[in-house]
């Protein structure tokens, strides 16, 4: 075998030895980043559900005590201690009548 041929063969082997771990690292990094994004999205959805459920519970509590649903969210915040995070969420509250559960929706800003 000539020395030039042996040198080229070693260079190819060295490249393959370096590329394989780099490829594995890149794949692992991609899986980790995808997993973090998925967990983050799940946490945002849980926050949204918790905010909406808090408004609904306060509304039902008001109905159980007073006998009618409140006309607006300010009543719930003032009398029932509901904390409205208006810097984080947008609240849609539409009273349909004193004895009909209001339409309640919560969205991220």
């Amino acid at each position: 075998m000539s020395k030039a041929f042996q040198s080229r063969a070693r260079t190819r082997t060295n490249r393959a030895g370096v590329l394989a771990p780099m490829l594995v690292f890149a794949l692992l990094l991609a899986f980790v980043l995808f997993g973090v994004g998925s967990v983050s999205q799940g946490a945002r959805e849980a926050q949204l559900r918790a905010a909406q459920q808090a408004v609904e519970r306060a509304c039902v509590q008001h109905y159980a005590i007073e006998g009618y649903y409140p006309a607006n969210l300010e009543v719930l915040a003032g009398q029932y201690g509901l904390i409205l995070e208006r810097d984080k969420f947008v609240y849609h509250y539409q009273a349909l009548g004193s004895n009909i559960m209001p339409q309640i929706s919560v969205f991220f800003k």
Side-chain angles (χ1 to χ4, degrees), residues 37-53 88-89 106-108:
S38 177
V39 168
S40 177
Q41 180 65 26
R44 284 179 53 90
E45 290 171 4
Q47 284 180 332
L48 202 57
R49 274 193 312 272
Q52 181 157 346
Q53 288 172 352
K88 192 180 214 178
F89 302 110
V106 181
F107 306 98
F108 277 107

Side-chain angles (χ1 to χ4, degrees), residues 6-103:
Q6 288 176 349
S7 176
R8 278 190 235 136
R10 280 191 206 132
T11 303
R12 285 188 195 128
T13 304
N14 288 342
R15 285 184 197 153
V18 171
L19 288 178
M22 288 177 68
L23 181 61
V24 169
F25 177 75
L27 287 173
L28 287 174
L29 183 63
F31 284 128
V32 168
L33 292 176
F34 177 75
V36 168
S38 177
V39 168
S40 177
Q41 180 65 26
R44 284 179 53 90
E45 290 171 4
Q47 284 180 332
L48 202 57
R49 274 193 312 272
Q52 181 157 346
Q53 288 172 352
V55 175
E56 289 171 353
R57 277 193 302 268
C59 193
V60 169
Q61 181 182 12
H62 182 280
Y63 183 79
I65 293 170
E66 304 290 336
Y68 60 92
Y69 288 105
N72 55 47
L73 288 176
E74 284 67 31
V75 172
L76 296 176
Q79 296 177 359
Y80 291 87
L82 177 66
I83 298 172
L84 299 172
E85 297 181 73
R86 294 195 187 270
D87 59 320
K88 192 180 214 178
F89 302 110
V90 174
Y91 298 90
H92 169 76
Y93 184 91
Q94 183 177 5
L96 303 172
S98 64
N99 63 344
I100 300 172
M101 178 76 169
Q103 290 182 349

